[in-house]
Amino acid sequence: MNIKLIFTVLMLSSFQLFFAQEIKSDTIKLATKTTITTVTTIKDTIKVAPAVASKLATEAEKEALKKEAKELKDKLKAEKKALREAKKIEKEQKDFEKKQKAFNKLQNKILSSEKSISKIKTKISKEERNLIKLKEKFEEKKSKGKLDSTGIEKENIKISKCQIKINKLEEDLDKAEEKLQKLRD
């Protein structure tokens, strides 16, 4: 879009310059066609009057051409100003798009961290249920007297491993919640 805008402005300005030069060349032709005659009699003055009138007309045309040139310069300045404003608007739009992308990226990170927090919470609840089941089985076997000292130690090791796993998951949960809090700030 930027290239199209620049190309259009250049084409308009080149057309204006082309026609402005063409007008200037016409004035030169008119100036070269006029001839200076000397006034000797009243009859000659009547004949010379159209020449003087054409000379005055060329001066008026020169003034008109000057006005047109000034108008063309003003138009060119206005087009340059419009081009600068268009570039400024385009830059602002790009900045807005960058900010929008950054915001969307941040929202995606927040969503993913919330999902990871919920996954960790489900894992913790699952492990706590497993721990409760292990403790219940251990108590049943212990109350029935089916366990000897090595069996008791094995069951205690299973229970402690499960507790360690829960503690690690809780640490991961704390880290994930801190990360989420930083993203939200």
Side-chain angles (χ1 to χ4, degrees):
M1 183 170 174
N2 191 13
I3 294 172
K4 289 180 182 177
L5 184 63
I6 291 172
F7 182 71
T8 306
V9 170
L10 287 174
M11 290 299 292
L12 288 174
S13 63
S14 66
F15 284 127
Q16 289 176 348
L17 290 175
F18 176 75
F19 290 118
Q21 290 175 352
E22 190 173 310
I23 292 170
K24 287 182 181 178
S25 65
D26 288 342
T27 58
I28 293 171
K29 289 178 184 176
L30 289 175
T32 57
K33 289 181 181 179
T34 59
T35 57
I36 300 173
T37 57
T38 57
V39 179
T40 54
T41 63
I42 297 174
K43 291 180 183 179
D44 288 340
T45 57
I46 295 171
K47 291 179 183 176
V48 174
V52 172
S54 66
K55 193 173 187 181
L56 291 175
T58 58
E59 288 177 10
E61 288 176 0
K62 286 181 184 179
E63 288 178 20
L65 289 174
K66 286 180 183 179
K67 286 181 182 178
E68 286 181 29
K70 187 176 181 182
E71 288 175 3
L72 288 175
K73 285 181 183 178
D74 291 340
K75 285 181 182 179
L76 188 60
K77 285 181 184 178
E79 287 177 1
K80 285 181 181 179
K81 186 177 180 181
L83 182 63
R84 276 187 255 127
E85 289 177 5
K87 285 181 181 179
K88 184 179 178 183
I89 290 170
E90 188 175 335
K91 184 179 179 184
E92 289 175 355
Q93 186 176 7
K94 284 182 181 180
D95 291 342
F96 176 74
E97 288 173 358
K98 280 184 180 179
K99 288 179 183 178
Q100 189 70 28
K101 285 180 182 178
F103 178 75
N104 289 339
K105 190 175 181 181
L106 180 65
Q107 291 299 319
N108 289 337
K109 285 183 179 181
I110 289 173
L111 287 174
S112 66
S113 64
E114 287 176 349
K115 286 180 183 178
S116 66
I117 287 173
S118 65
K119 286 179 182 179
I120 292 172
K121 284 182 179 180
T122 56
K123 285 181 183 179
I124 288 174
S125 64
K126 194 182 269 186
E127 288 298 321
E128 286 176 345
R129 280 186 262 135
N130 287 341
L131 178 64
I132 292 170
K133 286 180 183 177
L134 284 174
K135 284 184 179 180
E136 287 175 357
K137 286 181 183 179
F138 174 67
E139 290 298 323
E140 281 182 26
K141 288 180 183 178
K142 190 176 177 184
S143 65
K144 289 182 181 178
K146 292 183 178 179
L147 294 174
D148 56 351
S149 62
T150 56
I152 292 173
E153 289 300 318
K154 286 181 182 178
E155 291 296 322
N156 283 334
I157 291 172
K158 285 182 185 178
I159 291 171
S160 62
K161 282 183 179 179
C162 191
Q163 288 174 339
I164 291 171
K165 199 171 190 181
I166 290 172
N167 289 338
K168 285 184 180 179
L169 287 172
E170 286 176 350
E171 288 175 8
D172 290 343
L173 178 65
D174 290 338
K175 288 179 183 177
E177 286 176 345
E178 287 176 12
K179 182 180 177 183
L180 178 64
Q181 187 63 29
K182 286 181 182 178
L183 287 174
R184 287 186 176 165
D185 290 338

